[in-house]
Amino acid sequence: MISAAPTPINDAVILMAGVGSRLGGGIEKPLVPIAGRPLVSYIFDALEKVGVRTVHTVLGATGERLAADLRRLLPEGMRLNPILNPNWKKQNGISVLCAATHLRQPFFLTMGDHLFEVAILEALLAESDHVGVSLAVDRKIESIFDLDDATKVKTAGTRITGIGKTLSEYDAIDTGVFLCAPTVFDYLNRARREGDCSLSDGMRLMATAGKARAIDIGDAWWQDVDTPEMLERAEQESGRLRS
């Protein structure tokens, strides 16, 4: 029996509305150089390799300037759709909601300060049911560079049962790479309290409804780049991202 080909995903949302105060250096995090290339260039490359054609970037205080830089870095044949989040000081769930009117089909969602191998996107394509949200998780907990800062995930098989930075019991780590159906926007709206919510808040509601799946990344590598120490680690491991 021949397996069906993965459903193509044409859109991706990248969250980059924050100011990157923990990293310092006076440069937007997506533009921080990693092995001589801006961090976001690696994200663009990975998305291009799995067929993404439109990249929706959710931007904050430096939106116009950053959008101009991103256009110069985007691979030929891909389209940039910059989206301004006027409430960029709020949590990242609000940034995701800013993209709601731009998407009608499943889409990749990632962070503008996360490096990851294309194999993670391929795993999501191969294993996602395209109904709720599939989160790429890392079960190699001993390899996580800054475990205290990581978002923890509790699973039951492929079903997510808990998510958050303060979980006391967990068996996986959130890589910040998702494949989402548009229904994610409904759950984020339900999760809002006083006009604010995190992506994890929405994920917890989806988990309760049985619509949040964990996809194991296996041996694939990723790294959040949120501090100078994480940046140094990313530099050391950046060879994994080269073609």
Side-chain angles (χ1 to χ4, degrees), residues 32-206:
V32 168
I34 306 285
R37 298 183 69 206
L39 189 160
V40 74
S41 291
Y42 296 102
I43 301 175
F44 287 161
D45 286 353
L47 293 170
E48 182 188 31
K49 287 174 182 174
V50 294
V52 169
R53 290 293 170 260
T54 300
V55 178
H56 309 267
T57 54
V58 183
L59 310 174
T62 62
E64 291 187 10
R65 184 177 71 226
L66 181 53
D69 288 324
L70 295 175
R71 282 195 175 92
R72 288 192 287 269
L73 297 171
L74 200 69
E76 186 176 352
M78 295 182 79
R79 183 177 76 91
L80 185 76
N81 177 33
I83 302 167
L84 180 63
N85 177 5
N87 298 306
W88 57 269
K89 291 184 179 180
K90 293 186 176 183
Q91 298 181 83
N92 61 359
I94 300 303
S95 283
V96 179
L97 283 169
C98 286
T101 60
H102 300 266
L103 294 149
R104 294 290 181 269
Q105 300 296 325
F107 60 94
F108 287 114
L109 170 64
T110 188
M111 312 298 122
D113 58 357
H114 283 208
L115 289 169
F116 52 87
E117 290 185 85
V118 69
I120 293 178
L121 300 178
E122 292 170 342
L124 286 171
L125 278 175
E127 302 295 336
S128 174
D129 59 12
H130 293 42
V131 173
V133 169
S134 294
L135 167 61
V137 300
D138 192 348
R139 298 191 186 276
K140 306 184 297 297
I141 294 173
E142 71 287 348
S143 72
I144 302 302
F145 180 70
D146 187 347
L147 188 57
D148 289 340
D149 189 61
T151 298
K152 288 81 174 175
V153 182
K154 179 68 174 174
T155 67
T158 61
R159 185 168 62 89
I160 293 175
T161 60
I163 184 169
K165 288 198 173 186
T166 59
L167 282 186
S168 58
E169 294 185 10
Y170 56 92
D171 53 12
I173 300 298
D174 173 354
T175 68
V177 186
F178 302 75
L179 182 52
C180 305
T183 188
V184 67
F185 302 123
D186 297 331
Y187 283 90
L188 284 169
N189 273 314
R190 295 181 206 174
R192 292 174 74 159
R193 297 292 181 271
E194 299 181 354
D196 201 0
C197 67
S198 69
L199 182 53
S200 291
D201 292 333
M203 287 290 292
R204 278 188 284 273
L205 286 183
M206 296 191 82

